[in-house]
Amino acid sequence: MTALLMLNHIRNLSDESVVEQWAKNAYYQYFSGGQVFKAKAPCEASELVHFRKRIGVEGVKLNYSKASVSMEKEAKKLRPDIVKLPEERSY
């Protein structure tokens, strides 16, 4: 659910659209932690609304902040030179 909220926010999609695209996009599924492609929607779009209400505004903000920190750490592992400022890079 949190990955769907992230994709919803990053791609600026509606709940219906993110659920529909998740079922068609292997990259979205991998981003969500999936190991095998599934051509089936992970949930109903209305479940995202209920989940968002359960975790509240602070929960949504926390989800985005923790995800951005973990994405930054992963980026540093893959390409440490990319996440540095231009003046910090060594060529």
Side-chain angles (χ1 to χ4, degrees):
M1 284 291 199
T2 57
L4 288 172
L5 288 180
M6 292 282 308
L7 289 167
N8 183 313
H9 179 73
I10 293 167
R11 298 288 185 187
N12 196 24
L13 300 169
S14 67
D15 292 346
E16 293 84 9
S17 183
V18 77
V19 169
E20 180 184 328
Q21 288 186 27
W22 189 94
K24 298 176 184 176
N25 191 324
Y27 294 108
Y28 282 12
Q29 293 184 25
Y30 184 77
F31 177 79
S32 303
Q35 300 293 319
V36 180
F37 179 78
K38 298 177 184 174
K40 180 183 167 200
C43 62
E44 294 292 324
S46 62
E47 290 180 55
L48 287 174
V49 175
H50 298 301
F51 182 70
R52 212 178 282 112
K53 285 181 182 177
R54 271 189 304 225
I55 64 174
V57 174
E58 292 303 315
V60 172
K61 287 180 183 177
L62 183 63
N63 178 45
Y64 294 150
S65 66
K66 285 190 180 248
S68 65
V69 167
S70 87
M71 288 167 65
E72 183 179 332
K73 286 179 184 176
E74 287 298 315
K76 284 182 181 179
K77 285 184 205 173
L78 298 173
R79 293 281 311 267
D81 58 317
I82 289 178
V83 292
K84 292 181 180 178
L85 296 172
E87 59 269 7
E88 295 175 335
R89 294 182 187 167
S90 59
Y91 296 98

